[in-house]
Structure formats: C-alpha cells, structure tokens
Amino acid sequence: MKTCRRIVVLAATFIFIGCVTCIVWAQDDDWGRGGDGDRDRDHRVLHIQHTVTTSQIGFPQSLFMYHLLDGANSNGEARALKGTISLKNHSSEFSEVLWVLAYWKGECPVDDQSLAGANVIWTEIQKNPTQSEDTLPVDLHFPNPLPMTGCVGFIFAGGPLVKGTGAVTMSADLDMEYKRSETLANAVVDLSGEYCFGQNWGCQNATTNENDGFAVPITMSTAGHLMELYGSISDSTFDGTQNFGPLPTGEVWGATNNFYLLPGECGKFGNNLNSQGFPNPVPLAKLNSWLPNNAIHLESVPMDYQITQARTSRASLTRQIETFLPYPVKINAGDCVVVIYGRKGNGATDNETQIHAVLAP
C-alpha cells in the first residue's frame, strides 16, 4: 500500500528510492531438443536468482539487468516463467513487494531506475502482514508468447512501509524459458491497480463505505485478439497497528475482482475519474448497473478468508492468475477493459491486482 506512487509503465505508480542496479550476464542454458536429438539452441532458459534484505522505507528498488541473444536490437519471445518468490518479515509489521520483468528496445540502459524506457511484460504483487515467510509458486505458460528483446531487467520493489520496523527479505528463484523470434508480434496490456477499503487514505484511492467499489477503465489503443490474462491478485489486511486501519471482524472478509470487456467505449466508467485519473468510489451495485448488455465477462476472482475464534483476521490472500480465454476475443481500438474491485466484510484491506493481458494480432 503505497501512499504516494507510481511510474508510468505500471498502473499502480511508485516513487522508487535507494535503487540498486546490477548488470549481469545471463545464465543462458539450452533446454529444448530438436527432433534429431540435437539441442535446439534457439530455446533457452534464463535463471533468475536473487535475495535482497532491506529495512529502508519508501519502496526501494533493486534492478538486475541481463544481456541475452544479441542485445536490445534482437527480438525474442518468452514462453514460460516458473519457480518461486518469497517475502519474509523479520517483525510483525505489514510489508509488500512488487516483482517486475521488463525489456528494453534499441539500447540496453546502464541504469533506468524509473523504468521510463522499459516495456513491462510481467508483474506480481505479494503482501505480508505478519512475522512470517510467505513463499508463492510461479508457474506461467505462454502459448501466445510474450514479446522481449535481448535486454531484460528483473526488479524487486518494496519492503517495510513504516520507519523503525523490522527488516524484510525478498527472494526470487525463477526460470524464464525463451527463444529467438523474428518479430515482436504479440503485445502486453497492463490491467493493474490498487484500492484501499476501510480507511480513507492510501493506495490509488480509498473508501470507508463498506458498500463501495472501484471500477478501473482501460481504453485499448490497438486492435487485436485478447488471448490470456496472467499475473497475481493480493487482497490483504494490514497489521492491526495504529499505522493503518482496523483489522476485519466478524465471520469472513474478502474481495471480489472482475474483468469485463466493453465494446466501443468506456461509457460511464470513463467519466468517473478524479483529477489524478483514478476512479472515484461508487456503490458496487451501481457500478454493476453501468455494465452494458454487450459487456463480455472475462474473469471473476473471488477471495474469502474465514475468521474463527482460534485465528486472527490478519492475513494476505494472494493468488496467481493464468486464464486462457476459451476463444480469442476480438478487440478494436477504443474498446474498454473494466476491472471492478469490491470487498466483503469490514475492517481495512489493501486490494491489488497485478494482471496483464496478451493481445495477439
């Protein structure tokens, strides 16, 4: 939950400080075999393995650069991303980390802390409101490959949010399978965002009304066919301290996350934005009534946490998303994807999606 943030290339913007940039040569291993038994040297694996521990607030960033293929002027395609990511709190205060995979075209930058020239192809968000280690599996497959060049960056961004709290350790152990490609045929569309419920500050916008929701409109700039949604959703409580809103009470808390395609335009959703370009809170029932009859429901991700007397309501609900649409959904320039955030229960929660879509020609 970043109170003041973000870079342009991500829907949830950040102010990055304390950036560490490392240029590394890829651990670039063959993984495929051709039909004649010889290794297919166009199929390779980039092994990404890093650990960072920080007590610094302000969402510090660590950027690791990889030189692959023939550099930023060469084209490639990412076929899969597998492994684990973990977030360990050394104390009981709330922390979070954003994981980012990006590429650059034209020239590999020595240092691009703002990611202003980057093309982001994967993000996942991970939150932890307890003194524990939370390890998440990553197992994504891209039958419609993601575009990339031979200049790839892997980014950690995050840590503790409150000064004087304990250290946070972020670790990644990932394999990205990729190959050389003639062109960057497919495009990646960012559908991410972050909204706070149960307190009146933080995130991209916030509301204390339990019946409210947020609807984020994303106008599609190019035509194509929507093939896949992928990434992660993290809907988390805070840590129960005075630094944040209260923990949920009752029997259950949770969230709803819904993705729609609106042919033609964003309609009322596009007119419901504040001066910063983020949606205003509106009763969830009213937001749903704004959906036109021809809206296409792309995905629904409900998240629920049962509260019992033996357990605290302090928890993070995080889920990896990989949705292959049953048929290619035709997109025209000007069509609108709307992401609707809702909540269940009471208390304060930080609801965030880091979802991208694959758009094929």
Side-chain angles (χ1 to χ4, degrees):
M1 193 264 314
K2 285 61 69 177
T3 61
C4 181
R5 49 175 186 160
R6 293 197 164 173
I7 52 175
V8 174
V9 294
L10 300 178
T13 50
F14 296 87
I15 290 180
F16 290 123
I17 65 175
C19 178
V20 176
T21 301
C22 301
I23 306 296
V24 292
W25 292 101
Q27 298 177 10
D28 196 14
D29 303 321
D30 300 326
W31 65 273
R33 285 185 178 273
D36 59 358
D38 294 330
R39 288 191 181 276
D40 179 357
R41 293 191 175 274
D42 268 349
H43 291 73
R44 299 182 179 275
V45 173
L46 169 62
H47 187 53
I48 300 170
Q49 187 173 36
H50 300 288
T51 296
V52 173
T53 298
T54 183
S55 297
Q56 183 180 358
I57 64 171
F59 232 67
Q61 172 180 305
S62 297
L63 169 61
F64 302 90
M65 298 290 295
Y66 293 90
H67 294 176
L68 311 175
L69 302 172
D70 298 319
N73 289 314
S74 59
N75 293 330
E77 55 184 45
R79 306 303 300 260
L81 187 66
K82 305 174 183 178
T84 58
I85 52 178
S86 67
L87 175 60
K88 180 178 181 179
N89 280 357
H90 298 272
S91 65
S92 58
E93 287 81 13
F94 180 85
S95 71
E96 63 178 340
V97 59
L98 180 71
W99 313 89
V100 183
L101 193 63
Y103 69 91
W104 285 259
K105 295 191 290 185
E107 184 177 352
C108 288
V110 174
D111 184 2
D112 186 7
Q113 294 187 22
S114 67
L115 301 184
N119 299 273
V120 174
I121 57 174
W122 170 80
T123 58
E124 290 210 15
I125 186 66
Q126 193 174 4
K127 299 183 172 77
N128 192 347
T130 64
Q131 185 175 1
S132 62
E133 182 171 7
D134 187 14
T135 299
L136 299 176
V138 177
D139 188 16
L140 297 172
H141 305 266
F142 306 115
N144 300 281
L146 309 185
M148 59 173 281
T149 64
C151 183
V152 172
F154 182 72
I155 298 98
F156 294 4
L161 296 190
V162 179
K163 187 176 181 179
T165 58
V168 171
T169 298
M170 301 163 281
S171 299
D173 188 357
L174 298 168
D175 285 329
M176 183 186 74
E177 298 176 2
Y178 70 99
K179 64 179 293 186
R180 191 180 304 276
S181 177
E182 293 298 324
T183 59
L184 303 178
N186 298 335
V188 172
V189 180
D190 183 9
L191 306 179
S192 61
E194 181 189 26
Y195 294 87
C196 284
F197 294 85
Q199 61 182 38
N200 62 2
W201 61 274
C203 302
Q204 292 174 311
N205 208 343
T207 181
T208 57
N209 189 326
E210 295 180 7
N211 296 315
D212 279 351
F214 294 93
V216 182
I218 300 106
T219 300
M220 307 298 285
S221 60
T222 59
H225 294 83
L226 198 60
M227 309 296 291
E228 178 183 352
L229 304 178
Y230 66 94
S232 71
I233 294 176
S234 182
D235 299 322
S236 177
T237 69
F238 297 105
D239 54 26
T241 67
Q242 62 183 2
N243 297 311
F244 305 101
L247 293 175
T249 59
E251 297 183 355
V252 65
W253 67 268
T256 57
N257 306 273
N258 285 280
F259 299 77
Y260 296 89
L261 174 69
L262 279 57
E265 61 176 4
C266 293
K268 293 182 179 179
F269 299 102
N271 296 323
N272 182 46
L273 303 178
N274 63 20
S275 60
Q276 294 180 302
F278 300 128
N280 296 303
V282 171
L284 188 59
K286 188 173 183 179
L287 290 177
N288 289 327
S289 74
W290 289 355
L291 292 167
N293 293 332
N294 62 346
I296 300 172
H297 195 184
L298 301 172
E299 178 61 295
S300 177
V301 185
M303 308 275 265
D304 294 297
Y305 185 88
Q306 301 294 324
I307 303 174
T308 68
Q309 291 182 349
R311 295 193 300 177
T312 177
S313 61
R314 188 170 53 164
S316 177
L317 304 178
T318 302
R319 184 182 302 177
Q320 180 181 282
I321 305 301
E322 186 173 35
T323 300
F324 300 106
L325 301 179
Y327 56 89
V329 177
K330 183 174 175 55
I331 300 290
N332 294 311
D335 288 351
C336 185
V337 173
V338 174
V339 185
I340 299 182
Y341 298 72
R343 66 91 48 90
K344 304 175 186 177
N346 58 24
T349 57
D350 179 346
N351 297 9
E352 183 166 359
T353 70
Q354 287 294 332
I355 301 296
H356 286 75
V358 179
L359 190 66

